[in-house]
Amino acid sequence: MEDRGIGARVTVRLRRERLDMVTRIAGGYFTAPPVPEAHSDEWLRVDVVYRVVEAVRHLMPFGTDVHIVSPPEARIEMARAIAELAGLYDAA
């Protein structure tokens, strides 16, 4: 991993069947290889680092295959991004 500075360390769950795709696109942000999540054959956990917490939007293309676990600021930022996107397609 190249030195990107650590502004935001984010823990995510990722669906095991999407590991190759997530690694190709976001693997440069991993702090270590993903590890199996306790009590689950479907999910892995990995920490990623971004310069700023707003960069978690980088994970949006993975949809429900990636879940932000922590920190709360990263979860809030992702929720904000999703709300903005949903607003673009509001039927009203």
Side-chain angles (χ1 to χ4, degrees):
M1 183 178 118
E2 69 183 65
D3 181 16
R4 297 178 186 274
I6 298 178
R9 181 178 299 270
V10 179
T11 300
V12 300
R13 302 171 73 215
L14 63 98
R15 204 175 301 274
R16 184 183 297 272
E17 66 188 37
R18 299 289 186 228
L19 177 60
D20 288 342
M21 177 184 65
V22 175
T23 300
R24 279 194 310 273
I25 296 169
Y29 296 92
F30 292 2
T31 62
V35 296
E37 190 171 66
H39 312 292
S40 176
D41 292 332
E42 183 178 7
W43 294 97
L44 303 168
R45 284 208 181 213
V46 66
D47 286 340
V48 295
V49 293
Y50 295 108
R51 286 188 187 260
V52 295
V53 74
E54 293 81 7
V56 297
R57 291 173 178 235
H58 175 250
L59 301 172
M60 286 181 70
F62 305 116
T64 60
D65 292 325
V66 172
H67 300 170
I68 296 173
V69 176
S70 65
E73 298 82 5
R75 293 177 56 83
I76 291 166
E77 180 59 33
M78 184 61 80
R80 184 179 303 129
I82 292 166
E84 288 175 15
L85 182 61
L88 290 175
Y89 296 98
D90 188 4

